[in-house]
Amino acid sequence: MATVELVNVAHSYDGGTTYAVRDINLTWEDGVASALLGPSGCGKTTLLKIISGLLKPSEGQVLIDGQDVTAQSPRERNVAQVFQFPVVYETLNVYNNLAFPLRNRGVDEAEVDRNVRAVAEMLELTPYLKKRANRLGAAEKQRISMGRGIVRSDTTAVLFDEPLTIIDPHQKWHLRRKLKELHQRLNLTMIYVTHDQHEALTFADQVTVMDAGEALQTASPEELHTQPAAPFVGYFIGSPGMNLFEGKVVVSGIQLADYHLALATDLVEGSSVQVGIRPEYIQVSKDAHEGWFAATVTRTMLTGNALMLELASDSLQLKAIVPEESPLQAGETVYVHFPHDKVLLYSSRKDGGKRLETQVAV
């Protein structure tokens, strides 16, 4: 496996009028399980194609173990890719599908057999080795695709482009677990593209959140949840995502419409700020307290062992998560508080037409 690095990468499909990705500087260390996470159209698949060599970037470099491979083909890079739809030879049996990448490179048949059987065992494909691929289901075919990616010992990285999209929900958990096992067993450099935060956060040790062609934050799943570097990251990560409010800096803190947060910041009085707080950190009580604001419960929803509340005050709408046994119903009046140590502040500025959002210390 290898270290993969993108240096000042940008790509435009229309000659520079618009950019699918821009200003990308990312490093995937040797043996790390990583994910590119973001909504459809954010540029994550474009990045994967640039890494694999299927697409040459308009700007910047691709490095593998420090070597510039920007002009190299996928074959020269020895990068394997597993696509959304399984890529298999339907008329060949599973054994010959797995053996094809090795035979194509002239590998000795004894080594071919050893590698194929080892990969088949890891992916639970041994019972199917003599079966033709066209007789198997989507989950088994995708396992063949995965196997073709890891069967070669010289593979530098394995790239996964939404590999579980067409898989039956009951099979997704099993395949995700199998991928995690493969990474732990083989120490593979894996980059996994998905729009599904659950897939990304349960598979990867390091997740890059993307939006509108930009890499907003690369961090562990825990850090993305507790310290999102941009409002979009906080909103996109979590179920539900972080509450976000527009606020104004005043002498004694932050003013959120009719609600005052007594938070000290270094921001200039009168400047705008976004205030974020996760639903699970919001305090909700049926009793009035000094400094808390009144809100009406507009909707309740049981989510696992917790109760999600949709709340509305005269000027704010928000979501809060409280214990399942909380005796709250739609239509009730409650009192709400934002613990200061759980509040995140973001200021923004323009730089060359691009909006830069910076987290502010509270």
Side-chain angles (χ1 to χ4, degrees):
M1 292 294 117
T3 296
V4 178
E5 187 176 1
L6 300 181
V7 181
N8 299 324
V9 164
H11 188 74
S12 172
Y13 289 100
D14 58 12
T17 303
T18 57
Y19 279 83
V21 294
R22 68 173 80 190
D23 301 330
I24 302 295
N25 288 278
L26 292 171
T27 300
W28 293 274
E29 298 293 346
D30 185 7
V32 171
S34 303
L36 289 171
L37 173 65
S40 297
C42 72
K44 53 190 187 292
T45 296
T46 295
L47 274 192
L48 212 65
K49 290 179 179 178
I50 289 171
I51 296 167
S52 69
L54 292 173
L55 185 66
K56 184 178 179 181
S58 305
E59 303 169 20
Q61 296 174 296
V62 181
L63 306 179
I64 295 181
D65 278 343
Q67 179 186 356
D68 188 346
V69 299
T70 312
Q72 288 186 358
S73 67
R75 181 184 177 90
E76 291 173 305
R77 298 182 191 192
N78 286 328
V79 171
Q81 188 158 355
V82 179
F83 296 94
Q84 187 177 57
F85 298 95
V87 178
V88 299
Y89 295 105
E90 295 281 351
T91 58
L92 297 182
N93 64 24
V94 172
Y95 184 101
N96 288 327
N97 263 285
L98 295 175
F100 186 87
L102 298 171
R103 289 171 176 162
N104 196 38
R105 283 168 168 73
V107 175
D108 176 80
E109 199 61 31
E111 185 178 346
V112 169
D113 188 68
R114 283 195 302 272
N115 288 9
V116 166
R117 294 188 183 279
V119 167
E121 185 67 25
M122 283 187 278
L123 288 169
E124 300 176 1
L125 287 171
T126 302
Y128 307 106
L129 283 176
K130 294 183 179 179
K131 285 192 175 183
R132 283 167 52 166
N134 60 7
R135 296 181 181 177
L136 301 177
E140 288 79 21
K141 289 180 180 179
Q142 196 63 296
R143 274 188 275 160
I144 296 172
S145 291
M146 293 176 188
R148 285 158 58 92
I150 66 173
V151 75
R152 292 188 288 113
S153 60
D154 62 348
T155 300
T156 55
V158 185
L159 314 180
F160 298 90
D161 190 3
E162 309 248 19
L164 304 183
T165 300
I166 66 166
I167 306 301
D168 182 278
H170 297 292
Q171 295 279 351
K172 281 188 177 183
W173 180 87
H174 181 72
L175 280 180
R176 215 166 34 236
R177 180 177 61 83
K178 186 56 61 180
L179 271 177
K180 194 71 174 176
E181 287 177 5
L182 284 175
H183 175 258
Q184 293 169 346
R185 183 169 176 177
L186 302 176
N187 199 33
L188 299 169
T189 302
M190 291 183 170
I191 304 174
Y192 187 106
V193 159
T194 181
H195 64 275
D196 186 323
Q197 63 167 299
H198 182 69
E199 285 184 16
L201 300 178
T202 54
F203 165 76
D205 304 313
Q206 169 186 294
V207 179
T208 298
V209 179
M210 297 188 64
D211 184 45
E214 298 177 25
L216 300 180
Q217 184 177 6
T218 299
S220 67
E222 180 181 4
E223 187 177 349
L224 290 175
H225 187 272
T226 59
Q227 288 296 321
F232 178 84
V233 177
Y235 179 77
F236 195 75
I237 299 291
S239 182
M242 188 167 68
N243 292 290
L244 290 168
F245 311 99
E246 297 296 329
K248 189 76 71 175
V249 179
V250 295
V251 174
S252 54
I254 308 295
Q255 194 68 35
L256 299 179
D258 297 332
Y259 180 49
H260 180 74
L261 275 171
L263 293 176
T265 76
D266 294 331
L267 296 174
V268 177
E269 183 183 352
S271 60
S272 297
V273 66
Q274 278 191 290
V275 177
I277 185 168
R278 291 211 172 271
E280 58 268 33
Y281 297 149
I282 293 176
Q283 295 175 346
V284 179
S285 172
K286 297 184 77 170
D287 301 319
H289 299 276
E290 185 178 353
W292 295 38
F293 66 90
T296 301
V297 179
T298 59
R299 187 185 179 195
T300 66
M301 183 183 303
L302 193 61
T303 58
N305 60 352
L307 187 68
M308 189 186 78
L309 307 176
E310 291 186 3
L311 306 170
S313 68
D314 290 339
S315 54
L316 298 176
Q317 292 187 339
L318 61 147
K319 293 178 180 178
I321 292 177
V322 297
E324 176 185 1
E325 62 273 13
S326 297
L328 295 172
Q329 298 179 358
E332 287 191 77
T333 296
V334 295
Y335 297 88
V336 179
H337 175 62
F338 296 169
H340 292 180
D341 62 338
K342 299 300 184 181
V343 171
L344 299 173
L345 301 182
Y346 301 91
S347 63
S348 62
R349 61 185 175 85
K350 294 282 187 176
D351 184 5
K354 186 168 67 171
R355 176 171 167 154
L356 302 178
E357 289 155 332
T358 306
Q359 190 176 341
V360 181
V362 175

